[in-house]
Amino acid sequence: MTTTPAVEALATPAQYRDAIARVREAARAYYGGDGDFAAESVLDDAAYDQLLLALAAYEQAHPEEAAPDSPTTQVAAGAAPVGDVAHGVPMLSLDNVFSAEQLVAWGDGLQRRLGRPVEGGFTVEPKLDGAAIAARYRDGRLVQVVTRGDGRFGEDVSHVIGTIDGLPESLGTACTVEVRGEVLFTQEQFERANDIRVQHGATVFRNPRNGASGTLRAKDRPYRLAMTFWAYGAVDLDGGTFLPEGASHSEVLALVSAAGVQTTRENPAAIRRVGTVEEAQRRIEEIQALRQALPFGIDGVVVKADAAAEQRAAGSGSRFPHWAIAFKLPAVERTTVLLDVEWNVGRTGVIAPRGRLEPVEIDGSTVEYATLHNPADIRRRDLHLGDTVTVYKAGDIIPRVQAAVVQLRPADAVEVPLPEACPNCGSDIDRSQERWRCVKGAACRLPALIGYAAQRDCLDIDGLGRTYVTWLVDSGAVTDIADLYTLDLATLSEAAGSDKRGAKLAEQIRAAKAKPLSRQLCALGITNTGRRLSQRIAAHFRTMEAVRAATAEAFQDVDGIGPEKAPGIVAQIAELAPVIDKMIAAGATMSEPAGDSAVDGPLTAEDGRPKKVVVTGRMTGPLAALSRTGVKDLVERAGGRAGDTVTAETAYLVAAPAANGKLSSKAAKAEQLGVQVLTPEEFADLVADYLS
Ligand code: IVH
């Protein structure tokens, strides 16, 4: 599914001129940055595309006002660095469409130009997200590499010869031809490149595409970075005859490939020939589905009329050919503001940072949090709170903060503060590795995890109080939740201080082991899955075996698990493998009885679905003692689901009345949407039976 970006309408000549300036500035950064300095676009790709569309719409409505040098009439918006190497055949750009309907309209337009339907079929190939180059082979040797530039003249970047996979220095045959295609960093090459740059004291690349155009332009670096090339075309050079007269696009690529250059035929999202625009649309959808598994970036899919004669008949405009079109896929990188960095201690004691963002829509979902790697990486990226940052998210991938747009840094931005002590237990931090850890390791979070697991609606181990838990953890008898199941009577008696209490605990633990899968899952304490979600997961998959085999996609079939949560759940289940194995070995129940085990409570809607409750601000009355997680658990126990943002689906907003009479943003949103607002006291009444 692809959505057309909402076009920002331009109403006045002043707005039109301002939009031209913004496109220019962004295009200069996009095409002109050398990757070594802060040449970053202030617009992300989606915003850039929208603005170009707005310019085009304005020019169509007011042709007399259209600027003769408008970015809509120039390759690369006229901003790419232009060199002095002439292109024998211009290197054009591609026009964009954003939906199946627009693709059909493009096909209809092409048919009108030809005066009959396309007979030679279409090719469908990935739109590789890198930089365009022309590679000149003379007598089988790679002699020159040139950038696209303004399409007429490009820069000589022959210094990259020998560093690009797929673009060999010599071919099997002594042919003379100019091969055209895209050079990019694969994800692996990108990470390697950034490691090398850090070793040389250079800044990390903002993304693979910026890195590729920067690397092409940087001639004097003391290090070389490997990139990858895929050809998507070729033209004759010096009057050579390598390409037979009238060869189709797919035939040209077959020849180039046979000569030893990597082409889109060899790409994992390989070029396909199809008969019709409808078939092209199906292949686009296939490539779109492949996208997240590709080890490099694509930002669209290119459809071309295959036959040379039909290409010639359709012709080209000043910027792009009429016989080819780019179907743009939703952007996977957007810019937003880094509001805060939170530090969470994982099960093993790793202290992991997470960025809180101004919510931004990426690839079909709203992103509010994105992972950061570790303190050293935060410093390397020079991130400040208040920075505008680029955030990357694709498909099931957990969103991550990539880089700061330095020129947009507000004056009051502060370096991201790093924790001085373990944010969970206050112990010292082990900083000997890039990933910081609490010196207590797994024991840092364990007492809280066990306390949680022992609660009534989880494993229900009555009497396993905080002191016993602390003793069990400190003595090393319990290193994870599974160890509870194999504690012997002597240890339990020692922990509890008497044989009688020990025997009672042993009995409770035996009963806990027999509890259904939903309770065992809950006891694992998987982040983002409370009791209710554990119940739903268990009801959906029925066995632990099925839970462990489930992909992130499969998890999204569980009500309440979306693309944001699913990958994290899968990762945690994988990480918990040794604990789960121990639970199984100890004889814990790992299946869920049939029948709907989901709780029905005051927050369950008529149709059995959980009502969404958003809680904000300070809790008062009976809820005053509860942590934020405690309130969320309460919502789930009572059959609801806790959310963070007030939307039309929200059933209740729980908020104390503002002391100064001013509505919080959530309360204002609730009022606007007609969502019922309850005070903490009113809410406590509603769920009184579930307040433990
Ligand atoms: S064909 C005459 N095919 O997209 C048509 N371009 O936005 C020339 N690109 O400048 C381009 N993958 O840098 C073509 N499979 C592909 C492509 C592709 C990426 C880039 C190329 C071009 C830009 C246009």
Side-chain angles (χ1 to χ4, degrees):
M1 185 207 69
T2 302
T3 46
T4 310
V7 179
E8 178 184 334
L10 304 172
T12 64
Q15 283 175 357
Y16 171 67
R17 279 196 303 276
D18 176 60
I20 290 187
R22 281 162 65 201
V23 166
R24 281 254 156 73
E25 187 190 352
R28 259 197 298 278
Y30 184 121
Y31 295 104
D34 71 359
D36 283 346
F37 303 103
E40 291 144 341
S41 175
V42 294
L43 292 178
D44 56 39
D45 289 4
Y48 178 83
D49 279 347
Q50 281 194 28
L51 209 53
L52 260 187
L53 287 175
L55 283 184
Y58 188 87
E59 286 163 2
Q60 206 168 17
H62 312 275
E64 69 294 346
E65 283 177 38
D69 61 345
S70 163
T72 60
T73 65
Q74 295 171 318
V75 165
V82 180
D84 52 8
V85 185
H87 291 300
V89 179
M91 284 187 83
L92 297 183
S93 183
L94 290 167
D95 200 5
N96 296 325
V97 292
F98 297 90
S99 66
E101 297 74 50
Q102 291 176 355
L103 180 70
V104 168
W106 168 78
D108 292 346
L110 178 57
Q111 179 164 336
R112 271 196 303 280
R113 281 179 195 279
L114 298 178
R116 53 168 177 74
V118 170
E119 282 166 5
F122 298 91
T123 57
V124 187
E125 60 193 304
K127 184 170 190 300
L128 303 156
D129 196 6
I133 54 168
R136 295 179 171 173
Y137 284 93
R138 292 201 167 90
D139 299 325
R141 293 204 66 79
L142 179 56
V143 291
Q144 193 176 32
V145 177
V146 186
T147 63
R148 185 177 65 168
D150 68 355
R152 303 272 179 294
F153 290 89
E155 277 187 290
D156 187 312
V157 292
S158 303
H159 66 96
V160 295
I161 292 175
T163 63
I164 301 180
D165 289 351
L167 194 66
E169 286 176 74
S170 60
L171 302 180
T173 52
C175 56
T176 294
V177 66
E178 180 175 304
V179 175
R180 293 176 169 187
E182 202 83 349
V183 61
L184 52 69
F185 283 106
T186 62
Q187 197 55 41
E188 202 181 319
Q189 288 174 328
F190 179 64
E191 275 150 33
R192 171 107 192 88
N194 275 337
D195 283 348
I196 295 176
R197 282 175 67 79
V198 168
Q199 281 161 23
H200 282 83
T203 55
V204 293
F205 289 131
R206 163 174 159 182
N207 59 34
R209 194 206 44 238
N210 275 39
S213 46
T215 302
L216 285 178
R217 302 203 58 220
K219 300 194 171 120
D220 304 316
R221 283 192 191 141
Y223 50 88
R224 282 156 78 89
L225 306 175
M227 295 188 286
T228 302
F229 177 80
W230 279 281
Y232 51 66
V235 294
D236 279 327
L237 185 63
D238 305 343
T241 53
F242 177 70
L243 305 172
E245 179 70 28
S248 68
H249 175 57
S250 49
E251 285 163 356
V252 166
L253 290 191
L255 284 166
V256 170
S257 166
V261 176
Q262 182 164 265
T263 70
T264 51
R265 290 162 60 95
E266 287 78 42
N267 191 278
I271 186 168
R272 278 286 163 76
R273 271 201 72 204
V274 297
T276 63
V277 168
E278 287 68 34
E279 284 166 19
Q281 176 62 37
R282 279 201 287 282
R283 178 61 183 158
I284 290 171
E285 280 156 24
E286 278 172 21
I287 293 184
Q288 182 162 13
L290 275 177
R291 184 187 197 188
Q292 70 183 86
L294 295 175
F296 51 84
I298 66 172
D299 60 339
V301 181
V302 185
V303 179
K304 301 172 184 168
D306 195 25
E310 291 185 330
Q311 290 190 356
R312 213 172 303 119
S316 297
S318 63
R319 282 171 59 219
F320 34 73
H322 300 305
W323 46 265
I325 193 78
F327 187 108
K328 289 290 268 238
L329 298 178
V332 286
E333 188 188 276
R334 302 288 322 259
T335 55
T336 185
V337 178
L338 178 65
L339 300 173
D340 196 8
V341 173
E342 301 174 354
W343 299 85
N344 299 306
V345 185
R347 213 179 311 277
T348 56
V350 171
I351 304 171
R354 173 170 95 141
R356 192 163 64 77
L357 310 168
E358 209 154 77
V360 61
E361 169 99 3
I362 312 182
D363 198 11
S365 64
T366 305
V367 174
E368 290 184 61
Y369 290 95
T371 51
L372 289 156
H373 291 281
N374 54 57
D377 187 70
I378 288 175
R379 285 293 179 261
R380 268 200 298 273
R381 286 169 203 264
D382 186 32
L383 295 177
H384 286 49
L385 299 184
D387 266 345
T388 294
V389 291
T390 53
V391 180
Y392 177 84
K393 170 184 177 294
D396 275 353
I397 294 174
I398 298 169
R400 60 170 186 260
V401 175
Q402 307 240 98
V405 182
V406 179
Q407 42 321 15
L408 294 185
R409 175 167 296 158
D412 59 352
V414 288
E415 262 197 338
V416 171
L418 304 179
E420 315 237 303
C422 170
N424 182 51
C425 71
S427 301
D428 285 344
I429 295 177
D430 171 0
R431 299 181 172 83
S432 59
Q433 293 175 4
E434 286 214 333
R435 269 155 47 115
W436 291 3
R437 284 166 180 276
C438 169
V439 289
K440 287 172 100 176
C444 171
R445 283 249 334 255
L446 199 53
L449 264 175
I450 294 178
Y452 172 78
Q455 286 179 20
R456 191 157 48 96
D457 40 14
C458 195
L459 292 180
D460 193 13
I461 310 179
D462 194 20
L464 188 61
R466 189 191 280 258
T467 3
Y468 301 173
V469 172
T470 310
W471 187 90
L472 287 168
V473 171
D474 288 351
S475 69
V478 170
T479 61
D480 57 40
I481 195 82
D483 282 344
L484 277 183
Y485 289 164
T486 48
L487 287 173
D488 56 25
L489 196 55
T491 314
L492 282 171
S493 302
E494 209 179 333
S498 86
D499 287 354
K500 195 171 153 216
R501 284 198 293 268
K504 195 173 150 243
L505 268 180
E507 186 44 46
Q508 300 257 355
I509 288 174
R510 242 193 314 279
K513 241 194 283 189
K515 293 218 170 350
L517 174 65
S518 51
R519 307 286 186 118
Q520 310 295 342
L521 272 177
C522 170
L524 288 169
I526 299 165
T527 319
N528 272 334
T529 64
R531 295 165 184 81
R532 186 164 171 93
L533 213 45
S534 299
Q535 283 171 340
R536 286 198 217 119
I537 294 171
H540 184 84
F541 292 108
R542 297 278 168 215
T543 66
M544 181 60 100
E545 215 181 333
V547 171
R548 296 175 93 172
T551 58
E553 206 176 4
F555 267 101
Q556 289 174 48
D557 290 339
V558 178
D559 195 21
I561 301 182
E564 299 277 293
K565 277 189 186 178
I569 296 177
V570 172
Q572 290 183 75
I573 288 172
E575 190 189 313
L576 283 162
V579 183
I580 299 173
D581 287 342
K582 269 164 78 177
M583 289 167 87
I584 294 170
T589 305
M590 286 294 162
S591 60
E592 190 73 4
D596 191 1
S597 55
V599 262
D600 265 351
L603 300 179
T604 312
E606 303 258 312
D607 62 1
R609 293 164 70 97
K611 291 185 184 172
K612 178 175 166 183
V613 179
V614 177
V615 178
T616 187
R618 211 165 51 83
M619 289 297 105
T620 48
L623 304 187
L626 292 181
S627 65
R628 187 45 49 99
T629 328
V631 180
K632 284 190 173 176
D633 284 347
L634 172 62
V635 168
E636 294 202 344
R637 279 204 300 278
R641 77 187 157 97
D644 288 322
T645 40
V646 177
T647 60
E649 295 137 43
T650 309
Y652 306 111
L653 171 71
V654 183
N660 56 8
K662 255 174 85 189
L663 286 186
S664 71
S665 62
K666 283 190 173 136
K669 189 80 188 284
E671 187 164 278
Q672 186 195 339
L673 294 171
V675 169
Q676 193 177 350
V677 183
L678 299 178
T679 63
E681 288 75 10
E682 286 166 338
F683 184 69
D685 269 354
L686 183 67
V687 296
D689 291 348
Y690 296 80
L691 264 170
S692 55

